[in-house]
Amino acid sequence: MPFFSKSKKPDKKTPSRNGMHSTNAGGMSNGGPQPNEEPATFEPLPVPVPAAANQVGTPATTQSKPSNQQTPVVPPAGKAGVYGNAAPPKPPDTKAKQGPLVFHTQLAHGSPTGKISGFTSVKELYQKIGDEFNLPEKQILFCTLNSFKVDMGNLLGGQIGLDDLIFAHVKGDRRDFTVLKSEPALGLTITDNGDGFAFIKRIKEKSAMDNIVDVGDHIDSINGKSVVGSRHFEVARMLKELPVGQQFTMTIVQPRRAFDQIAPRSKGASQATAASENNVKTGKATLRLRSTGPATLQAVPTAFETQAAQKVDDLLESYMGIRDEELAGTMVDLYKGKQDFSAFVEAVSAALSDFGFPEDTIFDIWGAIGDAKAGRL
């Protein structure tokens, strides 16, 4: 605390700091002015400031210590602020402000990288790609994920990983040919792009169509009848119904290629599905695309869902000559929550009536999904 000095001034009375008057040490009481006595005056002594507090080369100075201290200001009760006397404000709702998902895309034969967003179906996906690269939607045959090659193992099926790069394959050369159907099975596996184009996904070695068509070729017409707008199972049925021992004509449209590199045309089912297993699950979630209805964002499929869908896809190829990951995934979804086979048959017949699945096929699919659930695959 500051030190004070005591001094007297003759013939003059000076009030003390507290408005009272002091006495001398003679024992007279304090309490007011006394006769023939001068009041004492107290003055603060200067407080030295350390030299370190000054600038270099400046001698130390002194300053008086302030007599009053600043009183902190307390905000009114109920007001949020830095004083902690109210609940902090809630963090902003990031989900509400999150924009649409953005995906990167290129044309498979070569282009700059573009960005697309805001699509809710397969058809809208092709429209967005067409808008990005200034080309008609119907020029796009199909898309692959993370590979510019015509590789059916990387074909965009029912799901897109949030980190996947989408390559769009557009129409190239058109070709007509005539071939003899020498046996009931032509050795073709058909799929479609969900927007009206059926194309060849697999070719069996040494079959009637081997060395005539290529994987990725879009089937435009059969015997002069356009199949544009038909689903894969409809095209496969038309090919199956062609008479054995007779010739037929087919028009195909090949995808445009920058490099003549395609995947092997004959693959085992395990090889084809293993390749696709790694391409759509790079993100923490996937965008589920459907041929009908809006796309949905969902978690990466479980091991059960992945194995079951692969087995169903194999059965679809074996029974119908088609492969369709989106269809296989839909059948796995229909299986969930069904307590018996009858309930599953009703669900499949109601949701997938266009396919006309026979009950025997549905029974095999029911058993395959059950085996996957029980870990028997």
Side-chain angles (χ1 to χ4, degrees), residues 345-359:
V345 171
E346 292 179 3
V348 171
S349 300
L352 305 171
S353 59
D354 291 344
F355 291 88
F357 290 113
E359 189 167 313

Side-chain angles (χ1 to χ4, degrees), residues 145-146 153-154 161 164 270-283 306 310 325:
L145 299 176
N146 306 317
N154 289 320
D164 285 341
S270 60
Q271 289 177 300
T273 51
S276 62
E277 181 181 355
N278 297 325
N279 71 69
V280 297
K281 301 172 180 64
T282 56
T306 300
Q310 290 175 1
E325 292 181 2

Side-chain angles (χ1 to χ4, degrees), residues 19 47 64 113 127 141 155 179 195 198 206 311 346 349 376:
V47 179
S64 298
T113 301
Q127 290 174 343
L141 292 178
L155 185 68
V179 65
D195 193 29
K206 299 181 180 179
K311 186 61 178 179
E346 292 179 3
S349 300
R376 293 190 291 266

Side-chain angles (χ1 to χ4, degrees), residues 251-267:
T251 300
I252 62 163
V253 178
Q254 296 180 319
R256 183 177 175 183
R257 292 176 172 87
F259 305 97
D260 192 17
Q261 297 176 345
I262 61 174
R265 292 186 295 169
S266 298
K267 294 183 179 180

Side-chain angles (χ1 to χ4, degrees), residues 74-320:
V74 180
K79 298 289 185 180
V82 297
Y83 298 97
N85 63 332
K90 294 182 179 180
D93 187 359
T94 55
K95 292 184 178 180
K97 296 182 180 180
Q98 183 178 9
L101 297 174
V102 177
F103 295 87
H104 292 82
T105 183
Q106 292 182 8
L107 299 180
H109 62 273
S111 75
T113 301
K115 294 182 180 180
I116 57 174
S117 64
F119 56 89
T120 60
S121 66
V122 176
K123 182 178 180 63
E124 290 184 4
L125 167 64
Y126 292 119
Q127 290 174 343
K128 294 290 185 179
I129 295 175
D131 293 343
E132 179 67 18
F133 296 108
N134 194 27
L135 57 86
E137 166 206 343
K138 290 301 182 180
Q139 281 293 109
I140 301 173
L141 292 178
F142 55 86
C143 294
T144 52
L145 299 176
N146 306 317
S147 174
F148 66 88
K149 299 180 182 180
V150 182
D151 183 354
M152 295 296 105
N154 289 320
L155 185 68
L156 187 154
Q159 296 172 339
I160 305 176
L162 301 186
D163 297 331
D164 285 341
L165 176 60
I166 304 172
F167 289 89
H169 298 256
V170 301
K171 290 181 178 180
D173 296 334
R174 184 183 182 93
R175 186 164 67 91
D176 301 315
F177 60 88
T178 300
V179 65
L180 174 67
K181 186 177 181 181
S182 58
E183 52 187 347
L186 290 172
L188 299 180
T189 298
I190 311 299
T191 189
D192 63 44
N193 69 350
D195 193 29
F197 290 160
F199 56 94
I200 299 169
K201 187 170 185 179
R202 188 175 303 175
I203 306 168
K204 184 179 179 181
E205 288 185 9
K206 299 181 180 179
S207 65
M209 302 300 289
D210 193 16
N211 297 320
I212 297 177
V213 293
D214 290 321
V215 167
D217 287 354
H218 158 54
I219 301 176
D220 183 81
S221 66
I222 300 173
N223 283 334
K225 181 180 179 180
S226 174
V227 295
V228 175
S230 300
R231 292 299 311 273
H232 45 31
F233 67 93
E234 295 172 322
V235 175
R237 185 184 300 157
M238 291 178 63
L239 293 173
K240 184 177 181 180
E241 292 174 351
L242 292 172
V244 178
Q246 294 186 15
Q247 291 182 332
F248 66 94
T249 61
M250 181 182 289
T251 300
I252 62 163
V253 178
Q254 296 180 319
R256 183 177 175 183
R257 292 176 172 87
F259 305 97
D260 192 17
Q261 297 176 345
I262 61 174
R265 292 186 295 169
S266 298
K267 294 183 179 180
S270 60
Q271 289 177 300
T273 51
S276 62
E277 181 181 355
N278 297 325
N279 71 69
V280 297
K281 301 172 180 64
T282 56
K284 295 181 180 179
T286 60
L287 187 68
R288 176 81 178 270
L289 297 177
R290 306 175 189 275
S291 55
T292 58
T296 55
L297 187 64
Q298 62 182 33
V300 173
T302 64
F304 152 65
E305 292 170 333
T306 300
Q307 292 177 357
Q310 290 175 1
K311 186 61 178 179
V312 172
D313 208 17
D314 293 344
L315 291 175
L316 292 175
E317 181 180 26
S318 178
Y319 293 151
M320 303 175 64

